[in-house]
Amino acid sequence: MYKIFKFPKDFLWGAATSAHQVEGSNHNDWTEWEKENAARLSKKNEGKYPPENFISGRACDHYSRYEEDFDLAKKLGHNTHRFSIEWSRIEPEEGKFSELEIEHYRSVIRALRARGLEPFVTLWHWTMPTWFVEIGAFEKRANIEYFARFCQRIVKKFSGEVTFWITINEPEIYAGNSYLKGVWPPQNKNFISYIKVLTNLIKSHKNIYEIIKKYDSKAQIGITKNNIYFEAYQNKIGNRILKKFIDWWWNFYFLNRIKKYQDFIGLNHYFHNRIKNFKFNQNENKKISDMGWELYPESIYYVLRSLKRYNQPIYITENGLADAEDKNREWFIKESLKNIHKAISEGVDVRGYLYWSLLDNFEWDKGFWPRFGLVEINYRTLERRIRPSAWEYKKIIEANSIEIS
């Protein structure tokens, strides 16, 4: 017995990428950090992966092969695509903007539109020009104006060609890994810096929202927010108290501060976190991804339901798993979509689903070994191969529904 779950008319279906992870041949703070830390990261993994695994290099060469990749997205039935603009390409030196690179991204936008894919454009997906880092990056309030200037340049150039703008990708992940844990560049493990960076990113988003509206009042603007389903095990009071606090700080604080400055919420969702006996991450891990992350598709329902309070349209801008053998991806997509449909049926205004990622890519400090893509990349030859799960996803898109027993 099968049940059909129908999605709303004009629902957006697609996948996402980020510039640094797929383009190749970048020069930014991350490429510098990779060179300095590749040997250390290889040793940390007991030599399982060689140092070159941790250097992005040419990545997927998406920079020069984007049309080929968008042909694959169209072939797979997608009608939307999220990508990011690499700030370090546009402004490699302070105040010196590359019109050639601006035109490259205009060509990317037009290539998407020519194939019937709605662009979701991310203005900042973590990487920065080296000059910006040298003057303190987002730790200094005064530096906000440099980021705003870059965004203004881009928005002014592409006004009328882009409807959906994402200002900042996962601010809490960036700030947490770079300044709280100190494992990402600049590896400044400092709680005061962590708070400063979050505060300055909130201010940055508000500034950019107003800049975009100045050039295009009809533009739709949001951030992408990595929200986690924190579950209080057995609903015990201590677990509930911890859940309430961490929900407030991780899931809602940033959104609360910008709620008058967004037209939609971009949800990135990967994690369930069971709080048990005052301890976090007490998951059962019945199924896990290649990254060791628990596969718990039910969690997206709870996260979506919690976002209903904002009364904003929601686009799921990232949701996926590392699965080199493609053994769990079809199941994960279908089960996630079933739970998304459940949230929609309860009045949550979800308008799109973008799987992470269209392509296998460079996964930050993990390098190339995690395989998130609907499309497999042979990093030696750069050959693209569509995975079986991607064809199953296409069937869902074409039907605008899922059929599950």
Side-chain angles (χ1 to χ4, degrees):
M1 188 73 177
Y2 288 88
K3 187 173 181 180
I4 295 175
F5 298 86
K6 194 78 177 173
F7 285 83
K9 184 184 177 184
D10 300 323
F11 198 78
L12 293 178
W13 299 98
T17 59
S18 88
H20 184 74
Q21 293 178 265
V22 296
E23 283 184 347
S25 303
N26 278 305
H27 178 243
N28 53 43
D29 62 321
W30 265 93
T31 56
E32 293 297 301
W33 186 82
E34 290 160 16
K35 292 171 188 174
E36 293 170 5
N37 288 273
R40 177 183 65 82
L41 293 171
S42 177
K43 187 176 180 180
K44 181 181 175 182
N45 286 270
E46 299 177 340
K48 186 176 181 182
Y49 309 106
E52 53 264 33
N53 172 77
F54 302 98
I55 295 176
S56 55
R58 65 177 182 175
C60 307
D61 193 27
H62 177 73
Y63 183 86
S64 59
R65 301 177 70 153
Y66 64 90
E67 289 189 283
E68 175 187 351
D69 293 333
F70 296 161
D71 284 340
L72 292 174
K74 181 181 180 182
K75 189 175 183 178
L76 290 170
H78 299 189
N79 59 23
T80 191
H81 181 77
R82 178 187 167 210
F83 73 97
S84 68
I85 292 176
E86 177 60 38
W87 183 5
S88 65
R89 289 188 188 275
I90 303 296
E91 192 180 6
E93 296 179 56
E94 193 272 307
K96 295 183 179 179
F97 293 88
S98 170
E99 292 299 324
L100 184 66
E101 294 294 354
I102 290 171
E103 288 307 309
H104 167 80
Y105 286 108
R106 188 189 303 278
S107 297
V108 169
I109 291 164
R110 290 180 175 177
L112 286 169
R113 290 220 175 272
R115 291 161 176 80
L117 279 76
E118 181 71 41
F120 273 66
V121 181
T122 306
L123 288 164
W124 185 60
H125 200 125
W126 297 345
T127 53
M128 295 173 281
T130 54
W131 63 262
F132 185 69
V133 173
E134 287 166 3
I135 61 172
F138 287 107
E139 287 184 70
K140 294 185 178 179
R141 174 64 65 96
N143 291 343
I144 290 173
E145 66 181 79
Y146 296 106
F147 181 49
R149 183 181 65 184
F150 154 69
C151 292
Q152 183 173 17
R153 189 82 171 218
I154 294 300
V155 170
K156 186 178 179 180
K157 290 285 186 179
F158 298 153
S159 178
E161 295 196 58
V162 175
T163 301
F164 294 97
W165 293 98
I166 294 164
T167 59
I168 296 168
N169 179 73
E170 297 184 342
E172 71 295 342
I173 294 286
Y174 167 75
N177 281 326
S178 295
Y179 296 95
L180 196 60
K181 295 180 180 177
V183 296
W184 285 1
Q187 290 186 276
N188 179 14
K189 190 175 182 180
N190 184 304
F191 184 75
I192 300 301
S193 294
Y194 166 68
I195 297 299
K196 282 181 179 179
V197 168
L198 275 179
T199 301
N200 290 336
L201 289 175
I202 289 166
K203 179 66 174 173
S204 291
H205 170 82
K206 290 178 178 179
N207 286 352
I208 298 159
Y209 181 91
E210 292 179 338
I211 288 168
I212 296 172
K213 288 296 185 182
K214 175 184 173 183
Y215 288 101
D216 185 355
S217 62
K218 295 181 180 179
Q220 297 296 292
I221 307 158
I223 63 165
T224 51
K225 182 70 177 61
N226 186 311
N227 276 20
I228 296 170
Y229 171 44
F230 296 100
E231 178 189 1
Y233 180 69
Q234 293 184 340
N235 214 29
K236 290 182 178 180
I237 187 166
N239 298 335
R240 290 207 317 269
I241 292 169
L242 275 178
K243 171 181 166 56
K244 191 172 183 64
F245 171 76
I246 198 65
D247 266 335
W248 166 75
W249 179 249
W250 185 269
N251 288 334
F252 305 133
Y253 177 77
F254 202 102
L255 290 172
N256 289 342
R257 294 287 301 276
I258 66 167
K259 62 185 177 182
K260 295 181 181 179
Y261 296 84
Q262 59 181 354
D263 304 308
F264 68 89
I265 295 171
L267 171 64
N268 292 0
H269 178 68
Y270 296 95
F271 304 113
H272 166 230
N273 189 322
R274 182 178 282 114
I275 304 167
K276 182 178 180 182
N277 299 329
F278 296 94
K279 295 180 181 179
F280 291 96
N281 287 313
Q282 303 300 300
N283 299 334
E284 294 179 356
N285 293 332
K286 292 178 180 178
K287 282 188 178 181
I288 60 173
S289 73
D290 294 350
M291 297 271 284
W293 299 351
E294 184 193 39
L295 300 180
Y296 192 75
E298 298 94 326
S299 65
I300 200 166
Y301 161 76
Y302 295 104
V303 169
L304 286 169
R305 192 175 68 174
S306 74
L307 292 175
K308 189 177 179 181
R309 69 186 67 188
Y310 294 103
N311 195 30
Q312 294 269 342
I314 299 167
Y315 295 90
I316 295 154
T317 41
E318 288 186 29
N319 179 240
L321 72 163
D323 184 14
E325 295 180 7
D326 205 37
K327 59 185 178 182
N328 288 316
R329 190 172 283 107
E330 176 188 344
W331 165 83
F332 181 81
I333 290 173
K334 288 181 177 179
E335 287 297 314
S336 295
L337 288 171
K338 183 175 77 172
N339 282 281
I340 292 164
H341 187 277
K342 183 180 179 182
I344 293 171
S345 70
E346 294 180 10
V348 183
D349 187 10
V350 184
R351 300 188 184 183
Y353 178 83
L354 288 83
Y355 175 84
W356 181 270
S357 176
L358 176 64
L359 310 170
D360 285 341
N361 55 58
F362 182 79
E363 184 57 30
W364 306 107
D365 61 336
K366 303 298 185 292
F368 286 110
W369 72 260
R371 300 284 186 151
F372 280 86
L374 294 169
V375 177
E376 179 184 355
I377 302 293
N378 181 322
Y379 290 115
R380 183 176 58 81
T381 65
L382 295 180
E383 178 187 0
R384 276 82 164 132
R385 186 182 72 84
I386 295 172
R387 289 192 165 102
S389 58
W391 295 115
E392 294 301 316
Y393 182 36
K394 180 184 181 182
K395 292 176 186 177
I396 293 167
I397 295 169
E398 288 179 335
N400 200 40
S401 65
I402 51 171
E403 192 175 278
I404 298 179
S405 58

